[in-house]
């Protein structure tokens, strides 16, 4: 499957030649290929990303490299991840076209995807949260995306035959799953060369994570679920850096970590990153008091879960007589029984989401890859203070998640750590 037969890493010049030889791309950009404006914007860890603007149109071209870009060739990484990203963009885009950019072209040999360019004023959500910008439709849009993509790729909608076939295909994305297993569920809980934190301020905090046996036992349960539970086609990396926004648009990008896994991994990633953004706000409060903005973030967290739950359950009711084989209509044939099944399902999903969200928060503070929300706080003491509160909250949430039954209870715990 790997092997570099026919693959070559493109630069701005060779990309022009590639476009010239690809009629579907010329038809979008226009025939004046020599006049293309190309800009490399990949600030991520893994890929080259080019914005290409032509006389007739524009696009983003993304190419996966056979190693982790931010580390180099010493950490090889399959470029087949581009295939899983393209398939997921198409699959998720089919069910939620309003919030997933359209794929124009995919070249498996070159590990290259051409897709719709999300023009300015679209920015990465994380940058908007750091700047203190309110996005009034964010909860509405992201709950829509998660409800539609997770429901329609689960056994609530699929037959078991369809589901197993899809699961088998995505088992091929094993390297990126292994990367997640390492950096989210393993490295923060042991000595690892890749771990880092705000030192020396958080030296004791990082050590406390490594010595917390209760935390380790809970993380083991989440890791098992991540590895064993093929619940739906999850994005696999749904943090605030994988979402582009304007005040009235929300677009989910970069699903190269996609696989059939636990739904709560996506929901938790998004909620956990919003909570990280919340705890970072005091570090960005020089220009203006951020209290009202913090309140908006908490409202968005609550609205996202509540809207997701409502929309997901509504899709279930709408398709209860369809092909989905998880809860056959002939068996779950009374409204009261179906309601009970849904209540139990959503309760478990809520607890899964809290656990995964907490694990994602912990790895962003004492693991390999951090978040700009904290990293951009120049005052080291202030940054460490913000990070410590987020870390303490995440540890409590991970260990005690089954005690919470509503998102409002979680919000109230966030308040306790915001002192």
């Amino acid at each position: 499957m790997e092997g570099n037969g026919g693959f070559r890493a493109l630069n701005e010049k060779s990309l022009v030649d590639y476009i010239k030889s690809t009629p579907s791309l010329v038809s979008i950009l226009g025939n004046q290929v020599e006049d293309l404006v190309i800009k490399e914007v990949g600030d991520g860890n893994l890929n080259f990303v080019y914005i290409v603007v032509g006389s007739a149109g524009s696009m983003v071209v993304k190419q996966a490299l056979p190693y982790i870009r931010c580390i180099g060739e010493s950490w090889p990484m399959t470029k087949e991840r581009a295939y899983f990203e393209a398939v997921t963009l198409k699959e998720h885009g089919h069910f939620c076209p309003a919030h997933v950019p359209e794929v124009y072209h995919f070249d498996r040999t070159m590990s290259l995807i051409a897709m719709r360019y999300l023009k300015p004023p679209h920015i990465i959500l994380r940058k908007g949260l750091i700047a203190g910008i309110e996005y009034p439709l964010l909860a509405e849009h992201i709950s829509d995306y998660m409800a539609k993509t997770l429901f329609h790729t689960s056994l609530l909608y699929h037959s078991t035959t369809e589901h197993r076939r899809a699961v088998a295909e995505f088992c091929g994305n094993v390297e990126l799953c292994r990367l997640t297993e390492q950096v989210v569920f393993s490295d923060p809980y042991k000595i690892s060369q890749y771990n880092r934190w705000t030192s020396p301020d958080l030296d004791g905090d990082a050590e406390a994570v490594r010595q917390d046996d209760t935390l380790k036992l809970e993380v083991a349960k989440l890791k098992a679920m991540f590895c064993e539970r093929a619940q739906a086609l999850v994005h696999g990396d749904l943090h605030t850096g994988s979402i582009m926004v304007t005040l009235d648009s929300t677009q989910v990008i970069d699903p190269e970590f996609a696989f059939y896994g636990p739904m709560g991994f996506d929901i938790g990633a998004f909620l956990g990153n919003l909570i990280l953004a919340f705890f970072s706000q005091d570090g960005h409060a020089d220009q203006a008091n951020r209290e009202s903005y913090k309140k908006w973030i908490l409202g968005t967290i609550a609205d996202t879960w509540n809207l997701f739950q409502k929309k997901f359950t509504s899709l279930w009711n709408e398709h209860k007589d369809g092909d989905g084989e998880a809860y056959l209509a002939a068996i779950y044939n009374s409204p009261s029984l179906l309601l009970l099944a849904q209540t139990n399902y959503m309760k478990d999903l809520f607890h899964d989401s809290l656990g995964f969200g907490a694990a994602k928060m912990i790895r962003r503070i004492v693991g390999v890859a951090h978040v700009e929300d904290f990293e951009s706080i120049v005052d080291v003491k202030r940054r460490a203070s913000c990070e410590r509160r987020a870390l303490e909250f995440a540890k409590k949430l991970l260990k005690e998640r089954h005690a919470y039954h509503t998102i409002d209870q979680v919000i109230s715990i966030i308040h306790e750590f915001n002192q």
Side-chain angles (χ1 to χ4, degrees):
M1 203 182 230
E2 192 54 61
N4 283 349
F7 174 85
R8 64 191 191 286
L10 295 175
N11 56 33
E12 293 180 17
K13 184 174 181 303
S14 56
L15 179 56
V16 174
D17 295 330
Y18 181 88
I19 289 167
K20 273 186 194 172
S21 66
T22 311
S24 62
L25 300 185
V26 173
S27 69
I28 292 167
L29 294 167
N31 293 320
Q32 312 299 315
V33 178
E34 303 304 335
D35 299 333
L36 292 177
V37 178
I38 298 177
K39 184 182 177 191
E40 211 278 312
V41 294
D43 60 354
N45 297 325
L46 298 178
N47 310 288
F48 280 120
V49 182
Y50 299 96
I51 295 170
V52 185
V53 180
S55 56
S58 59
M59 65 180 62
V60 162
V61 176
K62 181 174 178 179
Q63 186 178 36
L65 301 170
Y67 52 83
I68 295 183
R69 181 182 176 184
C70 67
I71 292 175
E73 295 187 33
S74 64
W75 192 331
M77 177 60 60
T78 175
K79 58 190 178 54
E80 271 294 287
R81 64 186 185 269
Y83 169 74
F84 297 105
E85 177 170 4
V87 171
T88 303
L89 284 168
K90 290 175 184 175
E91 183 79 354
H92 283 178
H94 173 69
F95 293 113
C96 192
H99 302 303
V100 180
E102 182 186 352
V103 174
Y104 299 142
H105 170 78
F106 174 62
D107 183 333
R108 192 166 185 173
T109 301
M110 291 289 285
S111 305
L112 180 146
I113 308 169
M115 67 191 98
R116 181 160 69 91
Y117 170 40
L118 302 171
K119 295 175 181 171
H122 279 97
I123 60 167
I124 294 291
L125 173 58
R126 193 185 303 286
K127 293 183 183 297
L129 295 170
I130 292 168
I133 302 167
E134 292 186 18
Y135 296 97
L137 298 176
L138 179 61
E140 180 70 51
H141 288 171
I142 208 72
S143 61
D144 214 45
Y145 167 81
M146 294 193 302
K148 286 174 177 171
T149 59
L150 296 175
F151 176 84
H152 286 108
T153 58
S154 77
L155 279 168
L156 297 171
Y157 184 77
H158 277 171
S159 70
T160 54
T161 306
E162 280 180 293
H163 196 75
R164 283 201 172 93
R165 195 174 291 131
V167 169
E169 179 170 20
F170 272 86
C171 281
N173 206 11
V174 61
E175 277 197 47
L176 267 72
C177 286
R178 282 190 62 78
L179 180 59
T180 301
E181 290 155 25
Q182 177 185 335
V183 301
V184 176
F185 303 111
S186 298
D187 281 357
Y189 306 93
K190 65 185 180 72
I191 299 285
S192 166
Q193 69 183 99
Y194 298 111
N195 287 345
R196 61 187 183 83
W197 52 83
T198 302
S199 183
D201 304 73
L202 296 188
D203 288 0
D205 302 80
E207 174 70 11
V209 169
R210 296 194 298 271
Q211 299 300 328
D212 192 326
D213 291 349
T214 307
L215 196 65
K216 289 178 179 180
L217 291 170
E218 289 303 321
V219 164
K221 294 175 191 173
L222 293 170
K223 185 174 184 178
M225 198 189 307
F226 180 87
C227 296
E228 297 163 2
R229 191 157 195 209
Q231 199 173 25
L233 178 56
V234 298
H235 178 286
D237 202 26
L238 191 61
H239 54 71
T240 51
S242 297
I243 299 165
M244 295 194 72
V245 288
T246 66
L247 293 181
D248 55 10
S249 169
T250 306
Q251 302 291 321
V252 178
I253 60 172
D254 293 349
E256 61 197 343
F257 282 80
F259 74 112
Y260 271 79
M263 296 180 185
F265 192 71
D266 272 5
I267 302 163
F270 180 72
L271 296 179
N273 273 263
L274 282 185
I275 299 169
L276 289 174
F278 172 86
F279 280 109
S280 77
Q281 291 302 314
D282 288 350
H284 300 293
D286 291 337
Q287 297 81 15
N289 185 304
R290 294 279 183 114
E291 288 308 311
S292 67
Y293 192 63
K294 285 160 72 174
K295 190 179 288 185
W296 174 81
I297 294 176
L298 294 182
T300 300
I301 290 166
D303 288 348
T304 297
W305 171 259
N306 289 330
L307 286 166
F308 167 80
Q309 182 170 244
K310 184 178 167 189
K311 292 172 183 182
F312 190 91
T313 308
S314 175
L315 285 168
W316 188 341
N317 287 331
E318 186 185 329
H319 294 281
K320 68 181 189 296
D321 298 315
D323 295 333
E325 294 195 61
Y327 293 88
L328 293 168
I331 301 173
Y332 301 87
N333 52 4
S334 75
S336 59
L337 179 57
L338 182 62
L339 182 60
L340 187 58
Q342 290 174 337
T343 302
N344 289 339
Y345 191 101
M346 298 312 289
K347 180 183 75 175
D348 289 344
L349 182 49
F350 181 61
H351 291 147
D352 294 350
S353 301
L354 297 183
F356 285 122
K360 298 278 271 186
M361 290 178 67
I362 292 167
R363 62 80 51 125
R364 291 297 195 177
I365 300 168
V366 297
V368 57
H370 289 214
V371 289
E372 192 184 345
D373 309 64
F374 291 133
E375 297 287 278
S376 58
I377 299 171
V378 180
D379 184 321
V380 175
K381 296 287 182 202
R382 285 178 79 182
R383 184 201 311 156
S385 171
C386 293
E387 288 176 321
R388 180 174 290 117
R389 280 177 281 153
L391 183 61
E392 288 303 311
F393 164 79
K395 286 160 58 178
K396 180 181 176 72
L397 184 65
L398 205 159
K399 291 188 276 192
E400 299 177 12
R401 64 190 182 282
H402 294 289
Y404 308 124
H405 303 290
T406 67
I407 195 70
D408 288 339
Q409 290 175 308
V410 177
I411 302 291
S412 68
I413 302 299
I414 294 174
H415 278 299
E416 285 179 25
F417 285 86
N418 185 40
Q419 305 306 322

